[in-house]
């Protein structure tokens, strides 16, 4: 079964009438994952002084794009990933372009393997996600070293990867609930 | 209207095009980093009021918690404050006496007064470090005169230097950032060193004289160089491991709130030209290669010892 058709298609005779309000509601529900990334990026750029705030920006964006790209690709098109990546880039001060490129690559993998990933169990999907996150963090670290023309400690990158991998299960639980309820355009 | 085939091709081409754009942004960041940081600074300028609104509940909660802690142990707190007040009165008297003595000595030496630095005070808008760097953004308001290289201090000591300047916001690279190198002087040994940030809470000391190792607990101050004035308090020396002296900063780098940015101006103390040193005009390599002024002379044969062979 294709994941994006998880909601059974209703018969046209019993479908609600398409009004402007309903179209708006559907668009808002479909845009919910992208809005979640943008809102988190802006919120986490405020000076709360929470440890690992910058790493969380990256982590939330990666988890959200990975989940929605295979679970409901209509809610996470490539252009939306690009816009979200740009927002995260603007509200962070890492080496430019790395988060954006990582998001697009993880989107490409997740979207391309969406049928396979839908059939795989949670643990296997999490494992693949973890490998990609470690690679993305390594890429970011390599670029920072290139910027600084020095071999920096990879510990911050590993911490970022560990945090991203660690928050994935909790975010997945939220997204699975959201896919059925507030982020489901079919329920508009 | 596009055909189905064209739409399919377009849909497949979107992701590679976007990835190419992202690679372009990575390359732009490598070759023109200030341009990208300028855009980020503009976004922060725009968001500064919203940040204040976002952290306002947290600040209020902190104030309430502090009040609550004080209220639960009033007697102990009062005793501590009385002791502290007594000590401060003593130090106030010492400071007044030293200031008077200092004034008298400066007067007798005809001391030329130093220029008073201009400064602006700003609130930390956001921690701007990310995983690999330590920096903060300050909201200094419009119409400021902050320049790149200005010095940032909190109430206790040196924080860092300004690296980017926006219309309302400035970015301060902290002393513990990996890219930070500050020339310092050690208090008791009077030797110079470089304080190098290493992304930890305590930057390390490098390039100190091998016959004058830093002493545990001695004061570290800035050494005057360019826009960095001498004598700003930085911290104290501590050995985190054998042969690894680090500086424990006076400034509280983890909990920054109000920060002052000082403009000490350019260092225009250029040394005058030393008397007797006159720039020597370079003679042409071979004065006879050009056309001779007396062209009526016949061509001379090449002489031995004049080159050309």
């Amino acid at each position: 079964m294709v994941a994006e058709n998880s909601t059974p298609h209703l018969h046209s005779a019993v479908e609600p009438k398409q009004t402007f309000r309903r179209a708006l509601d559907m668009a808002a529900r479909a845009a919910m994952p992208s809005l979640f990334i943008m809102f988190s990026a802006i919120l986490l750029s405020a000076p709360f002084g929470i440890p690992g705030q910058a790493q969380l920006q990256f982590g939330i964006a990666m988890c959200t794009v990975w989940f929605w790209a295979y679970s409901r690709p209509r809610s996470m098109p490539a252009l939306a990933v690009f816009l979200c990546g740009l927002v995260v880039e603007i509200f962070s001060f890492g080496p430019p372009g790395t988060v954006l490129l990582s998001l697009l690559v993880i989107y490409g993998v997740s979207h391309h393997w969406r049928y396979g990933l839908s059939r795989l169990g949670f643990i296997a999907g999490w494992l693949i996600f973890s490998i990609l996150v470690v690679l993305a963090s390594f890429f970011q670290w390599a670029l920072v070293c290139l910027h600084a023309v020095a071999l920096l400690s990879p510990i911050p990158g590993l911490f970022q990867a560990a945090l991203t991998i660690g928050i994935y299960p909790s975010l997945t639980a939220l997204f699975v609930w959201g896919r059925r309820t507030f982020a489901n355009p079919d329920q508009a | 209207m596009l055909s189905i085939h064209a739409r399919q091709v377009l849909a497949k081409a979107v992701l590679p095009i976007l990835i190419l754009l992202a690679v372009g942004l990575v390359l732009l960041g490598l070759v023109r980093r200030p341009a990208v940081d300028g855009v980020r600074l503009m976004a922060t300028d725009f968001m500064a009021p919203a940040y204040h609104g976002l952290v306002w509940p947290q600040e209020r909660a902190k104030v309430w918690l502090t009040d609550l802690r004080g209220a639960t142990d009033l007697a102990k707190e009062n005793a501590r404050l009385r002791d502290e007040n007594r000590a401060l009165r003593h130090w106030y008297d010492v400071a007044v006496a030293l200031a008077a003595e200092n004034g008298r000595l400066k007067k007798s030496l005809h001391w030329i007064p130093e220029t008073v630095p201009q400064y602006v005070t700003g609130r930390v808008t956001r921690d701007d470090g990310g995983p690999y760097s330590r920096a903060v953004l300050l909201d200094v308001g419009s119409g400021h005169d902050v320049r790149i290289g200005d010095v940032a201090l909190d109430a206790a000591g040196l924080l860092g230097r300004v690296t980017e300047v926006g219309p309302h916001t400035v970015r301060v690279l902290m002393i513990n950032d990996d890219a930070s190198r500050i020339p310092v002087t050690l208090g008791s040994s009077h030797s110079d060193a470089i304080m190098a940030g290493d992304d930890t809470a305590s930057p390390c000391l490098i390039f100190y004289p091998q016959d004058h190792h830093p002493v545990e607990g001695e004061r570290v101050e800035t050494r005057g160089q360019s826009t960095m004035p001498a004598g700003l308090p930085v911290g104290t020396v501590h050995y985190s491991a054998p042969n690894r002296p680090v500086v424990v900063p006076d400034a509280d780098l983890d909990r920054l709130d109000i920060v002052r940015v000082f403009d000490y101006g350019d260092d225009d103390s250029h040394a005058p030209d030393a008397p007797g040193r006159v720039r020597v005009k370079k003679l042409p390599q071979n004065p006879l290669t050009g056309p001779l002024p007396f062209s009526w002379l016949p061509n001379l044969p090449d002489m031995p010892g004049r080159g050309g062979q």
Side-chain angles (χ1 to χ4, degrees):
Chain A
M1 189 182 73
V2 180
E4 60 185 295
N5 291 332
S6 54
T7 309
H9 190 69
L10 298 171
H11 192 269
S12 61
V14 292
E15 266 187 2
K17 196 182 167 190
Q18 186 69 286
T19 59
F20 175 71
R21 192 178 165 184
R22 183 163 181 265
L24 204 68
D25 191 9
M26 281 177 75
R29 282 168 187 263
M32 206 62 87
S34 311
L35 292 176
F36 177 69
I37 296 177
M38 292 181 191
F39 181 72
S40 312
I42 294 170
L43 191 72
L44 287 170
S45 66
F48 293 120
I50 305 167
Q53 221 174 293
Q55 288 88 339
L56 263 180
Q57 268 185 332
F58 171 84
I60 288 176
M62 289 290 272
C63 292
T64 313
V65 167
W66 173 259
F67 179 85
W68 291 97
Y70 80 82
S71 171
R72 193 192 294 277
R74 278 181 302 164
S75 295
M76 187 56 79
L79 210 59
V81 176
F82 187 77
L83 289 176
C84 291
L86 276 185
V87 171
V88 177
E89 285 288 343
I90 287 171
F91 288 98
S92 59
F93 250 87
T98 48
V99 178
L100 179 60
L101 191 58
S102 305
L103 287 182
L104 285 170
V105 167
I106 209 162
Y107 169 81
V109 173
S110 179
H111 189 255
H112 190 72
W113 288 348
R114 62 188 184 277
Y115 300 107
L117 284 169
S118 304
R119 279 196 299 271
L120 280 176
F122 170 76
I123 300 289
W126 191 17
L127 197 70
I128 297 169
F129 174 71
S130 308
I131 294 165
L132 289 169
V133 166
V134 170
L135 288 177
S137 295
F138 175 76
F139 169 65
Q140 203 174 6
W141 171 76
L143 268 185
V144 174
C145 290
L146 201 65
H147 266 288
V149 202
L151 199 67
L152 302 176
S153 164
I155 304 275
L158 290 175
F159 172 65
Q160 178 175 277
L163 193 69
T164 308
I165 295 163
I167 61 169
Y168 182 71
S170 342
L171 281 178
T172 304
L174 175 74
F175 294 153
V176 167
W177 174 60
R179 191 178 56 184
R180 279 188 284 109
T181 54
F182 61 88
N184 186 359
D186 298 335
Q187 288 204 344
Chain B
M1 197 68 186
L2 291 169
S3 67
I4 295 172
H5 180 67
R7 267 188 284 172
Q8 279 177 343
V9 170
L10 200 66
K12 279 185 181 171
V14 167
L15 188 62
I17 290 170
L18 293 177
I19 287 178
L20 276 179
L21 285 174
V23 171
L25 185 61
V26 171
L27 294 176
L28 182 73
L30 283 172
V31 293
R32 291 285 302 276
R33 180 71 189 259
V36 182
D37 287 348
V39 174
R40 288 168 163 173
L41 215 57
M42 273 166 59
T44 310
D45 267 345
F46 179 72
M47 287 299 293
Y51 286 145
H52 286 313
L54 282 171
V55 297
W56 184 81
Q58 192 192 23
E59 283 171 1
R60 293 309 307 162
K62 271 185 193 167
V63 170
W64 288 334
L65 273 176
T66 314
D67 289 350
L68 196 68
R69 265 193 219 114
T72 49
D73 208 357
L74 273 176
K76 200 175 167 186
E77 186 72 5
N78 272 342
R80 190 183 65 80
L81 286 173
R82 258 186 234 111
D83 288 346
E84 207 172 292
N85 210 14
R86 204 173 297 127
L88 284 174
R89 273 178 197 284
H90 165 70
W91 281 113
Y92 174 77
D93 294 340
V94 172
V96 167
L98 284 174
E101 187 188 355
N102 206 15
R104 274 199 309 278
L105 289 172
K106 277 182 177 174
K107 202 175 172 185
S108 63
L109 287 169
H110 300 290
W111 181 267
I112 299 164
E114 290 164 355
T115 51
V116 180
Q118 301 290 316
Y119 70 90
V120 287
T121 307
R123 189 177 280 274
V124 173
T125 310
R126 79 178 218 214
D127 182 358
D128 201 23
Y132 296 99
S133 64
R134 303 282 175 270
V136 287
L137 288 178
L138 303 181
D139 182 8
V140 288
S142 55
H144 64 82
D145 198 22
V146 178
R147 292 181 295 177
I148 292 174
D150 283 355
V151 183
L153 293 109
D154 77 345
L158 181 72
L159 272 184
R161 305 182 75 168
V162 173
T163 52
E164 274 106 27
V165 178
H168 303 276
T169 314
V170 295
R171 184 168 188 253
V172 175
L173 189 78
M174 309 243 277
I175 53 172
N176 59 344
D177 184 274
D178 206 72
S180 171
R181 299 284 184 275
I182 306 278
V184 292
T185 300
L186 305 175
S188 49
S189 57
H190 296 293
S191 51
D192 293 337
I194 295 288
M195 183 176 65
D198 53 1
D199 281 345
T200 62
S202 312
C204 60
L205 284 172
I206 54 173
F207 300 135
Y208 49 83
Q210 289 306 300
D211 52 345
H212 278 99
H213 280 256
V215 181
E216 173 80 30
E218 75 176 315
R219 297 284 310 155
V220 179
E221 293 174 348
T222 55
R223 189 176 77 223
Q225 196 176 60
S226 185
T227 53
M228 175 73 77
L232 294 180
V234 179
T236 47
V237 174
H238 172 62
Y239 276 85
S240 59
N243 291 323
R244 188 178 154 71
V246 297
V247 179
V248 180
D250 286 340
D252 191 357
L253 302 179
D254 292 330
R255 281 182 292 278
L256 293 172
D257 188 17
I258 305 287
V259 173
R260 281 184 296 176
V261 179
F262 286 84
D263 178 15
Y264 285 90
D266 288 327
D267 184 20
D268 29 296
S269 54
H270 300 298
D273 289 336
R277 290 188 65 186
V278 181
R279 188 186 289 272
V280 178
K281 279 184 186 172
K282 272 191 177 176
L283 291 169
Q285 291 280 324
N286 188 353
L288 296 177
T289 48
L292 292 171
F294 18 89
S295 54
W296 49 270
L297 280 175
N299 284 338
L300 295 170
D302 283 329
M303 304 289 282
R306 279 182 58 203
Q309 293 293 319

